[in-house]
Amino acid sequence: MLMGLLATLLVGLTGCSTSKNTFPNRAYHNVTNKYNVLWNGQQAMKSAEAELAKVGKDNYTTRLPVYNYPSKSDLGSALPYLDRTIEKASKSIYKHSMLIRGKEYVKSIDDAYLIMGKAYFYKQDYTQAQRVFNYIMHNYPKSNTYNEAAVMLARTAMRQGYFSSADEQLENLHYLATNKKNKKFNVWFNAAKAEYHLTAPDGDKQEAIDFIQNTIDAHPKRDFKTRLYLILGQLYEEMGQQTEAQKNFMKVIKKSSVYEQIFSAQMHLASNYDGSESSRNAIMKQFKKMLGEHKNEDFKDQIYYACSEISRVDGDDSLRVSYLKKSVSSSTNNYYQKTFSSLTLADLFFSQDEYRMAQAYYDTAAMSIPKNYPDYDNILKRANVLKDLVDKLDEIDLQDSLQRIAKMPEGQRKAWVRKMIADYTEAERKAAAEEAERMLALQNASSYTNINTTSSNGKWYFYNQSLVTAGQQDFYRRWGNRKLEDNWFVSNKVQISFEDMAVMNDPNLAKDSVEYDEDGNPIKKRETDPKKEEYYLQDLPLTPGAIDTSNAIIARDLYEVGFIYQDLLNDIPRTCASFESLLKRFPESEYALPCTFLLYSIYLKQNDPKYEHYKQILLTKYPDTDYAKLVQDPDYYKKLANQEKIVEEKYAEVYGDYQNRQWSSVVQKSDVAMSQCQDEELKSKFAYLRAVAAGQVYNEDTLIVGLKNVISRYSQYDVAELARIYLSTFDAQKLATTLPTVTDTTQTSEAPVVETPQSNLTNLFVIKDDEMHYVVLLVKTANLPVQDVKLNLTNFNKTHFSLQRFNLSSFYINNTQQMVTVAKFNNKMAAMDYYNILVKHEKFAPDIANGNIEVYAMSATNYTTFYNNKEGRALYNDFFKENYLKQQ
């Protein structure tokens, strides 16, 4: 206090210059910096670290890392504190540093640099963090911050994937760890070395164990210490050293204050099962006890999974499946465990070729899987493949069942309908009785415990754990396990609209759902009441036309199922069975020819003599088809493809001449190309270009005749409509002013536009990761005021990117959308950092989900292309997914 008063007094007398090395100046800047600006920055850093600890949830189903690094998209709540830390550190350096002739006279300036570097590190801006840590090491080699900065520099290199640099940096520090009795430094150094050996490609588990033990010997904080014990136990377990693993798991149980760690250690202890009956009995007895304890209500899924591992060791697949099912069904909030158990069960069924069961559990996993789960994309891909397969198999079964019932004698069919109604009525009665019994039990429990917002002992409801548990159990009985999110009671959120929600709340708002046929007659509504006969009869194929439609559905699905088995599941026996079933049941189907060829190809590759049978069918039944020609000449398609490629290149050339108004060249080249082209649609485009060009070379009559020929010969293609529109302009305008120009595709009184060649659009957008980027928001103006979006963006930038300055602009790109641009970002990575936080923000996520806003990151080159090329804008969505989102 006295020092602060003295410094203030001296400042009043002499000023607060940072360039004059006087005692009053040094006193003022040392005191003011340490106890004001820097202190505020350090407090902001503590708040940031607390937020990072909240979002950095550990996944105990895998080996823990030494340090938990949240995903970049989850940093939103910590960013304001990290930015404030950087701001205060910068202010500390700018206003109070007294660096005179290479010497710093304010002792705490290096601390400001350190918290700045750590803030950048936590923001995962590793380039800036590296610069700051290097600066500290270069300019403050004798300061107290040097050691921590050196270790943080090595950790920064590891996060960037520069493991050789990190190893070299840590080796240079090794002498400090052996020669200095600095416990804090020994913790930092040895933990960093352990992290290196657990993450580097050339890392060594035994080395990691040694450095973790060194870290523990340096007496780190209690929570970090128990974390390291758990990692040690996991490492020893992986190396097959069960005795050492058990010792460390026991230390976790005794010393940890984190129940998740204690529980994980207990699970690992139980999993060290040697297959003996005594061991099994002891472990299962412990599991049974844990299942009965209320504190383990949220951990039952892990207990059941551990039970399944014992069954796996015993080789009892049936019991293992039973425990895994219980693990999935009992999961409450551990989405990693639910995903892990579901995937284990799904993989088990998949390996046994039980695709329906596998699909059900892949689907369960897909609903709960966190985005940072290992192999996330491939898991979702397999889930989607199996869903498609099972949907088609179900459709085949349904159509077969409908046909079987339709073929019944009328009396038998009516009897079947009556039985279905009776079964439904009985099931409904049982459900009502069970619900009444449940409600009675709940009322009895309510009267016994006096359930209301306060319990009998005066506690608020949510402070009474027994009442809360009873409520949770009742909820799970009614709804099952649901994520805490908007519209949690809706199973399929993808297909629900705001209109649907309104109708759910007020049925009177439902619109008239009567549909009409082409003649304006009302179409009979589908029966939805399972207690009426029509409900079961309405889909039966009772007429020849309905049977043909049903057979067409079965044939199509058998064909597509065969492709799924072949291309996506590599199940060749089922592929052949599906195709052969199709040929047997529908030999004249449109799919018979490709199925015959595919079976020929499969059996030929397998050297199975059956290929000869299908070869003869192709040569005798389909001799003039491409398939038969391919059997006779394996290079047939290659030759055909080369020919088509030449023609497509020719079209691009002709189209270029057309744009340049080289009419004679267009006519001549089109004539040559049309004689070589096998693709009728491409030929129609040549014909259209030739008609327009010939009209310019000769006269209007030539043009009119040419356009009429296009309409007559190519009526099924888009160019026929273009020709009709062009012809309609003749009475209104002269030919010279109605000549098609490559500007717009709108069908107005102007001449129509020739479609841009697809080859010109394929590579429309380019990959330039290091180029300056923008983030753009495409806003549907009918649903959302753009000014509101820009205001929300301004507030978002102030909160999450307060150290950066962005420009916002907006303009219409069509009649329904405005493009709001956030500029500028140094490169793709910076733009995607902004994008990842923006799309999760509460102000934007709902409108992004319902399609009112589309958000993209764009390089400057692609931004210009997107703006100028209306036809190609729709292609950017796929480009963005492939080159931006997928690479994350």
Side-chain angles (χ1 to χ4, degrees):
M1 193 72 180
L2 182 61
M3 180 65 76
L5 184 61
L6 177 60
T8 304
L9 180 61
L10 290 172
V11 168
L13 295 174
T14 64
C16 55
S17 173
T18 57
S19 59
K20 295 181 179 180
N21 184 18
T22 63
F23 173 74
N25 285 346
R26 291 197 303 271
Y28 169 77
H29 289 294
N30 271 284
V31 172
T32 306
N33 185 56
K34 183 174 182 178
Y35 296 106
N36 188 348
V37 183
L38 179 60
W39 185 85
N40 287 329
Q42 291 169 334
Q43 296 306 304
M45 174 59 73
K46 289 180 181 178
S47 298
E49 289 173 338
E51 287 297 322
L52 291 171
K54 290 178 184 177
V55 298
K57 299 298 183 183
D58 283 310
N59 173 18
Y60 289 96
T61 61
T62 61
R63 188 213 308 148
L64 294 184
V66 175
Y67 296 101
N68 188 316
Y69 299 100
S71 65
K72 203 165 187 179
S73 60
D74 290 333
L75 296 179
S77 61
L79 285 179
Y81 298 110
L82 293 172
D83 286 342
R84 180 172 172 79
T85 301
I86 295 170
E87 179 186 357
K88 292 300 178 183
S90 301
K91 185 176 180 181
S92 168
I93 296 163
Y94 178 74
K95 288 195 171 184
H96 298 292
S97 174
M98 293 182 64
L99 185 62
I100 301 173
R101 294 174 185 168
K103 183 177 180 180
E104 179 60 67
Y105 289 92
V106 178
K107 296 179 180 179
S108 55
I109 290 298
D110 58 327
D111 293 304
Y113 278 112
L114 183 62
I115 63 170
M116 178 189 288
K118 292 172 72 173
Y120 280 124
F121 179 83
Y122 290 141
K123 286 183 70 172
Q124 300 181 24
D125 186 347
Y126 298 120
T127 302
Q128 290 286 13
Q130 183 184 31
R131 288 179 179 176
V132 177
F133 295 138
N134 269 321
Y135 183 86
I136 295 173
M137 294 178 65
H138 180 75
N139 290 282
Y140 301 96
K142 296 181 180 180
S143 71
N144 294 329
T145 57
Y146 177 88
N147 293 342
E148 187 173 2
V151 174
M152 290 301 299
L153 182 62
R155 287 180 61 190
T156 302
M158 281 188 271
R159 296 301 295 166
Q160 293 174 296
Y162 304 145
F163 290 103
S164 58
S165 175
D167 188 34
E168 181 181 354
Q169 176 68 21
L170 290 172
E171 283 302 312
N172 292 337
L173 297 173
H174 194 271
Y175 77 96
L176 292 174
T178 55
N179 297 331
K180 279 193 175 184
K181 295 183 179 180
N182 185 331
K183 290 183 179 180
K184 280 188 176 181
F185 173 74
N186 283 333
V187 169
W188 299 330
F189 171 79
N190 286 294
K193 286 290 287 185
E195 182 179 19
Y196 172 84
H197 284 289
L198 292 178
T199 55
D202 62 343
D204 182 88
K205 286 184 181 179
Q206 186 56 55
E207 290 281 340
I209 289 173
D210 293 340
F211 282 112
I212 290 175
Q213 192 58 60
N214 291 343
T215 309
I216 292 172
D217 293 341
H219 304 293
K221 292 182 179 179
R222 178 181 173 182
D223 288 346
F224 190 49
K225 191 173 186 178
T226 54
R227 180 186 186 87
L228 295 178
Y229 278 132
L230 184 55
I231 297 172
L232 274 181
Q234 292 171 325
L235 287 169
Y236 279 124
E237 189 176 58
E238 291 174 12
M239 297 173 69
Q241 300 181 33
Q242 303 300 342
T243 302
E244 290 299 322
Q246 291 177 14
K247 287 180 182 178
N248 283 282
F249 289 138
M250 286 303 299
K251 289 177 181 177
V252 175
I253 294 170
K254 292 178 181 178
K255 298 176 181 294
S256 179
S257 60
V258 181
Y259 185 67
E260 286 83 352
Q261 289 184 358
I262 297 171
F263 183 83
S264 178
Q266 290 174 326
M267 289 295 98
H268 281 286
L269 280 175
S271 66
N272 293 324
Y273 169 52
D274 59 11
S276 67
E277 184 175 356
S278 59
S279 177
R280 182 194 311 113
N281 291 339
I283 293 172
M284 293 305 293
K285 182 179 178 180
Q286 176 67 16
F287 282 161
K288 187 175 181 180
K289 178 184 176 184
M290 294 171 69
L291 286 168
E293 294 176 336
H294 174 71
K295 65 179 181 179
N296 290 324
E297 192 68 31
D298 290 337
F299 298 95
K300 284 185 177 181
D301 51 354
Q302 296 180 56
I303 299 172
Y304 282 125
Y305 179 79
C307 291
S308 76
E309 286 296 285
I310 291 176
S311 299
R312 179 184 62 81
V313 174
D314 288 342
D316 190 339
D317 283 346
S318 176
L319 191 57
R320 183 188 180 197
V321 167
S322 175
Y323 281 129
L324 285 170
K325 287 181 178 179
K326 290 179 179 179
S327 175
V328 174
S329 63
S330 62
S331 181
T332 56
N333 55 18
N334 187 340
Y335 295 118
Y336 271 103
Q337 183 62 59
K338 184 172 186 176
T339 300
F340 192 70
S341 297
S342 299
L343 289 176
T344 303
L345 195 50
D347 289 340
L348 190 60
F349 283 127
F350 188 84
S351 66
Q352 299 168 353
D353 295 341
E354 295 185 31
Y355 296 129
R356 289 182 186 273
M357 293 299 296
Q359 185 272 330
Y361 283 98
Y362 276 123
D363 192 50
T364 300
M367 291 174 65
S368 61
I369 186 170
K371 288 190 176 181
N372 59 345
Y373 194 90
D375 212 22
Y376 173 83
D377 288 335
N378 285 332
I379 290 169
L380 288 189
K381 181 179 179 181
R382 179 175 285 189
N384 290 331
V385 167
L386 289 177
K387 183 180 185 305
D388 194 25
L389 172 66
V390 171
D391 286 347
K392 295 184 187 308
L393 292 174
D394 287 343
E395 181 67 26
I396 293 171
D397 290 345
L398 173 63
Q399 294 301 324
D400 282 338
S401 298
L402 291 174
Q403 289 192 28
R404 176 179 56 80
I405 296 166
K407 291 176 182 177
M408 291 179 178
E410 187 174 356
Q412 185 180 351
R413 186 164 61 242
K414 286 184 176 180
W416 173 81
V417 170
R418 287 194 294 270
K419 182 179 182 302
M420 294 297 293
I421 293 174
D423 290 346
Y424 178 84
T425 303
E426 177 61 17
E428 191 178 47
R429 185 193 64 77
K430 287 183 178 179
E434 290 174 359
E435 177 67 9
E437 184 179 344
R438 189 187 66 80
M439 291 301 294
L440 180 61
L442 184 61
Q443 288 172 6
N444 291 337
S446 298
S447 61
Y448 177 74
T449 58
N450 189 25
I451 293 181
N452 50 42
T453 55
T454 59
S455 62
S456 57
N457 60 8
K459 286 186 178 181
W460 188 42
Y461 174 88
F462 291 103
Y463 292 160
N464 188 322
Q465 187 57 44
S466 63
L467 297 184
V468 171
T469 302
Q472 287 176 334
Q473 292 173 348
D474 181 59
F475 179 88
Y476 293 139
R477 278 195 297 271
R478 288 192 64 187
W479 297 98
N481 183 32
R482 299 293 178 103
K483 275 190 178 183
L484 180 59
E485 58 187 356
D486 291 343
N487 302 330
W488 56 265
F489 51 87
V490 180
S491 298
N492 187 355
K493 299 178 183 62
V494 177
Q495 297 180 359
I496 193 167
S497 67
F498 289 113
E499 183 178 302
D500 296 329
M501 290 293 295
V503 172
M504 290 169 64
N505 293 325
D506 185 359
N508 294 323
L509 296 176
K511 294 181 179 178
D512 179 15
S513 58
V514 176
E515 297 180 2
Y516 300 88
D517 61 21
E518 294 179 356
D519 299 325
N521 300 315
I523 299 174
K524 187 178 180 180
K525 283 187 177 181
R526 290 183 58 80
E527 182 56 65
T528 58
D529 186 355
K531 288 193 266 186
K532 293 185 178 180
E533 289 188 5
E534 182 60 26
Y535 178 82
Y536 301 95
L537 298 174
Q538 58 192 350
D539 291 323
L540 296 182
L542 298 172
T543 64
I547 291 174
D548 289 343
T549 300
S550 178
N551 285 334
I553 293 172
I554 296 172
R556 179 202 65 201
D557 287 343
L558 281 171
Y559 183 65
E560 293 178 357
V561 162
F563 269 113
I564 294 173
Y565 282 136
Q566 181 184 25
D567 295 341
L568 303 177
L569 300 178
N570 197 30
D571 190 336
I572 301 304
R574 278 190 168 87
T575 300
C576 295
S578 183
F579 288 153
E580 287 171 344
S581 175
L582 191 155
L583 290 177
K584 182 178 180 180
R585 296 181 62 179
F586 312 106
E588 302 304 321
S589 162
E590 62 180 302
Y591 306 107
L593 173 57
C595 277
T596 302
F597 178 78
L598 289 167
L599 286 168
Y600 159 78
S601 301
I602 292 170
Y603 287 131
L604 181 64
K605 287 179 182 177
Q606 296 178 338
N607 288 323
D608 189 318
K610 289 183 181 179
Y611 83 88
E612 274 292 346
H613 170 70
Y614 294 103
K615 178 180 178 181
Q616 291 306 315
I617 293 176
L618 290 169
L619 295 178
T620 57
K621 191 174 180 179
Y622 309 102
D624 297 326
T625 63
D626 287 344
Y627 294 109
K629 292 175 182 177
L630 186 58
V631 168
Q632 295 171 321
D633 181 6
D635 292 331
Y636 171 73
Y637 269 133
K638 188 181 295 183
K639 295 175 182 176
L640 200 62
N642 289 336
Q643 184 178 346
E644 289 299 322
K645 183 178 179 181
I646 292 171
V647 175
E648 287 179 1
E649 291 173 351
K650 193 70 174 177
Y651 177 71
E653 180 182 342
V654 171
Y655 186 79
D657 289 345
Y658 175 87
Q659 288 180 304
N660 295 325
R661 297 174 178 260
Q662 298 177 10
W663 309 120
S664 297
S665 177
V666 172
V667 173
Q668 294 171 4
K669 291 178 180 178
S670 294
D671 287 338
V672 174
M674 289 172 69
S675 66
Q676 300 172 348
C677 183
Q678 302 295 321
D679 186 333
E680 286 297 308
E681 185 174 8
L682 187 58
K683 190 183 290 187
S684 73
K685 296 177 182 178
F686 277 117
Y688 180 83
L689 293 181
R690 188 196 184 285
V692 176
Q696 189 68 17
V697 171
Y698 301 110
N699 52 46
E700 282 191 17
D701 291 341
T702 304
L703 175 61
I704 293 170
V705 170
L707 292 174
K708 287 183 177 180
N709 285 336
V710 169
I711 295 170
S712 174
R713 294 190 59 183
Y714 305 107
S715 59
Q716 71 271 40
Y717 300 114
D718 292 341
V719 293
E721 184 62 23
L722 293 177
R724 289 190 189 95
I725 297 171
Y726 198 176
L727 282 173
S728 69
T729 66
F730 272 71
D731 293 336
Q733 303 177 45
K734 292 182 180 180
L735 181 60
T737 60
T738 59
L739 190 66
T741 56
V742 185
T743 55
D744 195 1
T745 58
T746 53
Q747 296 183 0
T748 64
S749 59
E750 295 180 6
V753 178
V754 178
E755 180 184 354
T756 302
Q758 190 61 38
S759 58
N760 289 359
L761 291 177
T762 302
N763 300 317
L764 188 63
F765 299 105
V766 295
I767 302 172
K768 292 193 175 183
D769 293 350
D770 295 328
E771 189 177 67
M772 183 180 67
H773 271 61
Y774 304 96
V775 171
V776 301
L777 292 81
L778 305 183
V779 183
K780 290 184 178 178
T781 53
N783 303 334
L784 205 60
V786 171
Q787 291 305 318
D788 289 355
V789 175
K790 293 173 75 172
L791 178 61
N792 289 336
L793 278 173
T794 300
N795 293 333
F796 172 80
N797 291 339
K798 287 180 180 178
T799 302
H800 297 281
F801 295 90
S802 59
L803 298 182
Q804 296 172 258
R805 295 292 178 266
F806 297 117
N807 292 324
L808 298 180
S809 61
S810 63
F811 49 83
Y812 278 95
I813 58 171
N814 54 47
N815 292 335
T816 61
Q817 283 183 312
Q818 280 204 51
M819 183 161 78
V820 180
T821 304
V822 184
K824 302 173 181 175
F825 299 89
N826 290 334
N827 49 41
K828 168 186 171 182
M829 183 179 295
M832 287 306 294
D833 289 347
Y834 185 94
Y835 169 91
N836 286 326
I837 296 173
L838 177 74
V839 296
K840 289 186 176 182
H841 194 270
E842 59 183 4
K843 290 291 186 182
F844 301 98
D847 287 309
I848 293 172
N850 61 35
N852 287 333
I853 296 178
E854 298 174 44
V855 186
Y856 301 109
M858 289 185 189
S859 67
T861 300
N862 288 337
Y863 183 87
T864 302
T865 304
F866 186 89
Y867 176 75
N868 290 328
N869 195 311
K870 294 182 180 179
E871 290 181 348
R873 285 175 188 167
L875 300 176
Y876 192 77
N877 185 55
D878 290 338
F879 176 86
F880 180 70
K881 288 179 180 178
E882 181 68 25
N883 298 290
Y884 285 75
L885 297 183
K886 190 173 181 180
Q887 291 183 10
Q888 291 191 127

